[in-house]
């Protein structure tokens, strides 16, 4: 459907039939990984788990193509760095009009920036946000998409502040921009999107009551006039409600753009805590109980962070940054979780294309006293965050530490033969070196199966035999 009129009619029809869909639990699909599954495999994973809303951090064309015709509602993002220079007409043409249509991608939102008001950015993006939104809105109007695609700005919870929720207000230096932003959102029928992370409150403050981060009640509740807060989520949410009320928009719909709990890379980041937090969150939201300032009115939507682990993310905030997924990088569920979408537990990804089952480990008969430079190389390029304090591999012995680092690099290099050399200190094994909860990964590839698998099978059997022989002789 190429014409603007056609797109508009299609959008109108979707508005009439599908904007009545109830609020749901969605997910953030991040792609900063060394081991990327095929987008079609990820979309099949979403469908298998009945996930109907997904948030992307850019307008990844491969992901959007895979989402076409699925009925999954999509939020795409514009990176902060693009806000000052991007061409809004071109953006709409290339990333919206191109994909929206009959059997197309159901793009509902465009996120203009991602946490652009974050204190750590020092204000470098904030003056570009509203002008970018105004230009983009005009481009949506010209493309006949303004009534269907809504613009939002995911904000970090540090955009507002207060000692108690009822006194919430936006940071003073943001008051003018937030007034403009919220007025724009309100006039165009858009919600306020906020990212809330109780884990980060706990991680960054040794005095933060641990049980207040979860949803099972707290021995340190926060009294606030007639209300009492028993979990950090409700307190944070109502602080935003109070801040919006001070600007005259107390009833504005609120969407949780990111929320979750990591499973590795820090003390307190583990499978049990992640399951308890996410299950408590989902049960709390879907109960429709709401919060003290918005009783029986929970967030419009909640996007869990995240769908998959992202081993290539920056660890500047902490090593846990690479371990937020409810699924591992290869689409395997980390723990039991009921999303409230019809499945009692998570379903694993199917048809994942793994590299051959082989690993790179420290050579058992070599002297490792000169291994330091090789370890630094391996861990500067690959992901070794599970080896750090609190990580699932932090209890390994010295030799297993080396093996883990070597293997992480080897898999990142797609098992290239020379990537396991390390000046003779590494060797390839066909015996899984995983220890307890510490998993030595095998990478995945988005390349389809070879058209001739029989020679590959013979090659693998031959090398398995050779590898086992070498391993036996050197033990």
């Amino acid at each position: 459907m190429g014409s603007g009129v056609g797109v508009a009619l299609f959008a109108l029809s979707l508005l009439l039939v599908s904007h009545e869909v109830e609020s749901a639990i969605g997910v953030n699909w991040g792609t900063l990984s060394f081991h990327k599954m095929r987008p079609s495999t990820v979309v099949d994973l979403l469908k298998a788990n009945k996930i109907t809303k997904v948030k992307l951090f850019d307008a990844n064309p491969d992901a959007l193509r895979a989402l076409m015709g699925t009925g999954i509602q999509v939020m795409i993002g514009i990176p902060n760095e693009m806000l000052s220079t991007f061409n809004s007409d071109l953006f709409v043409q290339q990333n919206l009009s191109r994909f929206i249509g009959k059997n197309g991608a159901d793009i509902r939102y465009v996120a203009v920036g991602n946490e652009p008001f974050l204190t750590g950015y020092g204000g470098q993006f904030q003056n570009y946000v509203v002008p970018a939104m105004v230009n983009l809105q005009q481009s949506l109007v010209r493309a006949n998409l303004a009534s269907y695609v809504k613009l939002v700005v995911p904000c970090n919870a540090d955009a507002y502040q207060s000692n108690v929720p009822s006194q919430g207000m936006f940071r003073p230096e943001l008051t003018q921009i937030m007034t403009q932003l919220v007025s724009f959102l309100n006039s165009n029928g858009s919600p306020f999107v906020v990212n809330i992370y109780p884990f980060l409150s706990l991680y960054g403050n040794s005095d933060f009551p641990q049980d207040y981060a979860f949803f099972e009640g707290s021995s340190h509740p926060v009294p606030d006039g007639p209300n009492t807060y028993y979990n950090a989520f409700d307190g944070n949410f109502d602080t935003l409600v109070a801040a919006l009320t001070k600007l005259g928009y107390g009833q504005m719909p609120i969407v949780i753009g990111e929320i979750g709990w990591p499973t590795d890379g820090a003390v307190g980041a583990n499978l049990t805590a992640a399951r308890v937090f996410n299950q408590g969150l989902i049960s709390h939201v879907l109960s429709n109980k709401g919060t003290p300032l918005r009783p029986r009115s929970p967030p419009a939507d909640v996007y869990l962070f995240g769908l998959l682990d992202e081993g290539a993310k920056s660890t500047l905030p902490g090593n846990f940054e690479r371990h937020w997924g409810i699924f591992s990088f290869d689409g395997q569920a980390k723990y039991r979780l009921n999303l409230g979408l019809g499945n009692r537990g998570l379903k694993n990804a199917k048809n994942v294309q793994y590299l051959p089952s082989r690993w790179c480990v420290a050579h058992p008969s070599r002297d490792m006293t000169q291994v330091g430079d090789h370890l630094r190389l391996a861990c500067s390029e690959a992901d070794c965050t599970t080896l750090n304090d609190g990580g699932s591999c932090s209890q390994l012995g010295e030799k297993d530490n080396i093996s883990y680092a070597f293997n992480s690099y080897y898999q990142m290099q797609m098992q290239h033969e020379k990537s396991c050399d390390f000046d003779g200190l590494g060797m390839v094994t066909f015996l899984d070196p995983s220890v307890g909860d510490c998993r030595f990964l095998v990478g995945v590839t988005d390349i389809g199966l070879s058209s001739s698998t029989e020679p590959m099978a013979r090659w693998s059997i031959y090398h398995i035999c050779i590898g086992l022989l070498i391993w036996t002789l050197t033990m």
Side-chain angles (χ1 to χ4, degrees):
M1 191 177 293
S3 70
V5 174
V7 171
L9 289 174
F10 172 76
L12 179 60
S13 69
L14 280 178
L15 276 168
L16 293 174
V17 300
S18 55
H19 263 210
E20 297 177 0
V21 175
E22 292 184 359
S23 301
I25 303 296
V27 295
N28 285 268
W29 175 5
T31 58
L32 295 177
S33 176
F34 298 125
H35 309 281
K36 295 180 182 178
M37 290 189 294
R38 288 178 295 185
S40 59
T41 303
V42 179
V43 170
D44 286 342
L45 177 65
L46 295 172
K47 291 160 63 177
N49 287 283
K50 297 182 169 63
I51 296 170
T52 60
K53 297 174 187 280
V54 66
K55 179 166 162 274
L56 307 174
F57 290 92
D58 54 19
N60 186 302
D62 293 330
L64 290 175
R65 274 190 288 269
L67 287 162
M68 291 177 71
T70 62
I72 296 172
Q73 297 177 18
V74 185
M75 181 188 299
I76 63 174
I78 302 172
N80 293 328
E81 294 77 13
M82 286 179 56
L83 296 182
S84 63
T85 58
F86 87 110
N87 181 312
S88 59
D89 284 337
L90 188 62
F91 179 88
V92 169
Q93 177 187 336
Q94 292 184 341
N95 303 302
L96 296 175
S97 300
R98 173 183 168 195
F99 293 103
I100 292 176
K102 186 177 181 181
N103 297 320
D106 189 5
I107 303 172
R108 298 295 184 97
Y109 296 107
V110 175
V112 182
N114 185 47
E115 300 183 341
F117 309 116
L118 194 66
T119 308
Y121 290 144
Q124 62 178 307
F125 302 119
Q126 64 189 40
N127 291 331
Y128 300 121
V129 175
V130 173
M133 292 188 77
V134 171
N135 290 336
L136 195 52
Q137 182 68 24
Q138 293 170 349
S139 296
L140 289 174
V141 170
R142 285 191 285 271
N144 293 311
L145 288 173
S147 62
Y148 185 67
V149 179
K150 300 300 179 182
L151 304 182
V152 296
V153 179
C155 293
N156 187 279
D158 82 342
Y160 47 89
Q161 57 194 21
S162 177
N163 291 325
V164 292
S166 64
Q167 300 303 311
M169 64 179 64
F170 290 105
R171 298 199 321 260
E173 70 272 22
L174 294 179
T175 301
Q176 182 177 355
I177 291 175
M178 280 298 176
T179 301
Q180 295 172 338
L181 171 60
V182 173
S183 174
F184 179 94
L185 296 173
N186 182 68
S187 62
N188 289 286
S190 296
F192 192 100
V193 177
V194 64
N195 302 338
I196 296 177
Y197 281 108
F199 170 79
L200 295 182
S201 299
L202 182 64
Y203 178 78
N205 182 359
S206 58
D207 295 327
F208 191 89
Q210 182 166 337
D211 58 1
Y212 190 64
F214 296 88
F215 294 88
E216 300 175 326
S218 175
S219 58
H220 299 80
V222 175
D224 183 10
N227 299 317
T228 302
Y229 290 85
Y230 295 93
N231 65 78
F233 174 81
D234 283 359
N236 200 310
F237 186 90
D238 275 2
T239 303
L240 173 58
V241 171
L244 290 170
T245 300
K246 285 183 172 60
L247 297 184
Y249 298 94
Q251 300 305 313
M252 173 168 281
I254 296 173
V255 164
I256 308 302
E258 296 178 26
I259 188 169
W261 200 278
T263 58
D264 214 328
V267 175
N270 56 67
L271 296 172
T272 299
R275 181 188 61 78
V276 170
F277 178 84
N278 281 330
Q279 195 62 74
L281 168 73
I282 292 165
S283 300
H284 181 59
V285 170
L286 297 184
S287 72
N288 289 320
K289 179 182 178 181
T291 62
L293 293 187
R294 284 197 177 176
R296 296 174 301 282
S297 183
D301 291 312
V302 174
Y303 293 85
L304 293 178
F305 190 84
L307 179 64
L308 305 165
D309 278 354
E310 297 178 84
K313 283 193 74 177
S314 168
T315 58
L316 194 59
N319 291 317
F320 54 82
E321 275 297 321
R322 296 177 174 177
H323 305 281
W324 289 98
I326 57 176
F327 294 92
S328 53
F329 73 97
D330 54 351
Q332 307 306 297
K334 294 186 189 176
Y335 48 84
R336 185 173 180 81
L337 187 66
N338 184 347
L339 295 175
L341 304 174
N343 291 338
R344 292 188 176 182
L346 299 176
K347 294 184 180 297
N348 293 332
K350 295 181 178 179
N351 302 316
V352 180
Q353 301 299 320
Y354 290 92
L355 297 171
S357 294
R358 54 179 183 249
W359 298 260
C360 179
V361 295
H363 200 295
S365 64
R366 298 286 195 270
D367 179 2
M368 294 289 158
T369 55
Q370 302 300 316
V371 76
D373 287 343
H374 296 297
L375 284 180
R376 281 187 285 275
L377 167 68
C379 291
S380 67
E381 299 205 18
D383 179 27
C384 298
T385 52
T386 59
L387 295 174
N388 293 286
D389 287 346
S392 59
C393 300
S394 60
Q395 302 302 312
L396 297 180
E398 181 181 6
K399 202 92 171 200
D400 285 335
N401 272 335
I402 297 169
S403 293
Y404 187 93
F406 280 7
N407 184 64
S408 294
Y409 182 80
Y410 176 64
Q411 303 297 338
M412 187 201 76
Q413 296 292 333
M414 305 299 285
Q415 299 185 354
H416 189 279
E417 181 181 0
K418 292 183 179 179
S419 66
C420 187
D421 181 41
F422 298 105
D423 287 339
L425 299 182
M427 63 169 280
V428 174
T429 179
F430 298 89
L431 300 175
D432 187 350
S434 298
V435 181
D437 292 333
C438 177
R439 176 188 176 196
F440 282 59
L441 63 87
V442 172
V444 302
T445 174
D446 60 2
I447 301 173
L449 289 172
S450 170
S451 58
S452 178
T453 57
E454 188 178 345
M456 178 64 75
R458 287 200 301 267
W459 183 92
S460 297
I461 292 169
Y462 169 77
H463 280 78
I464 287 172
C465 294
I466 295 297
L468 288 173
L469 178 62
I470 293 173
W471 179 265
T472 302
L473 292 174
T474 54
M475 288 299 286

